[in-house]
Amino acid sequence: EVQLVESGGGLVQAGGSLRLSCAASGFTFDDYAIGWFRQAPGKEREGVSGVTSSDGSTLYADSVKGRFTISSDNAKNTVYLQMNSLKPEDTAVYYCAAVLSSPGSIPFAAQSYDYWGQGTQVTVSS
C-alpha cells in the first residue's frame, strides 16, 4: 500500500523557517517523482517544488525560488522541504504527492500525481 505522510508544519512568524518531511512507503522510491503542493483557502492547489531522487533533479515554483530547498534521503525514503524566509502568503496546507516518473521528469500539475499525503498546515503570521 502506497503511503505518504507529511510532518513538520506549524505556526511561524514571517521571516522564519520550517522543514517539512514526506515519508514514503509502499513503492520503489527511486522510480517516482515526489512533488510538494500547497493549497490556501479559496485557492487552487499549486505546485511548490519537486524532485526525482534517482538523479537529484529538482524543480521550484518562481514564488519560492531562493527561499525553499527540496532534498531527498533515499535511505529513509523521505523528501524534505526546507522553507526559509517565510511570508504570510506561504500560509497553506502543504501536501506531498508521488507519481511514477523518469529521472528528471517532474510534473508540476497536481492532476499528474497518483498518490497524495494527508497534508500539513503551515501558517505564517505577519
Side-chain angles (χ1 to χ4, degrees):
E1 179 188 4
V2 173
Q3 278 196 317
L4 298 168
V5 180
E6 302 98 334
S7 61
L11 173 64
V12 65
Q13 288 188 332
S17 299
L18 284 173
R19 188 177 81 156
L20 305 183
S21 299
C22 173
S25 61
F27 60 92
T28 303
F29 194 62
D30 285 356
D31 291 342
Y32 282 70
I34 305 294
W36 281 101
F37 293 80
R38 65 187 181 187
Q39 189 165 20
K43 294 189 176 181
E44 291 189 356
R45 193 167 296 189
E46 63 172 353
V48 175
S49 185
V51 63
T52 47
S53 61
S54 55
D55 69 343
S57 294
T58 59
L59 187 66
Y60 296 94
D62 288 343
S63 58
V64 306
K65 278 181 183 176
R67 300 188 298 123
F68 291 11
T69 302
I70 192 169
S71 61
S72 64
D73 185 334
N74 292 6
K76 295 182 178 180
N77 281 9
T78 299
V79 170
Y80 303 98
L81 186 68
Q82 177 67 45
M83 305 186 296
N84 299 329
S85 301
L86 282 161
K87 304 175 181 180
E89 51 264 42
D90 294 317
T91 295
V93 177
Y94 283 70
Y95 300 89
C96 66
V99 63
L100 187 66
S101 189
S102 301
S105 176
I106 306 171
F108 229 41
Q111 58 264 34
S112 298
Y113 284 77
D114 295 319
Y115 305 104
W116 291 84
Q118 82 288 352
T120 185
Q121 176 71 46
V122 171
T123 303
V124 184
S125 63
S126 58

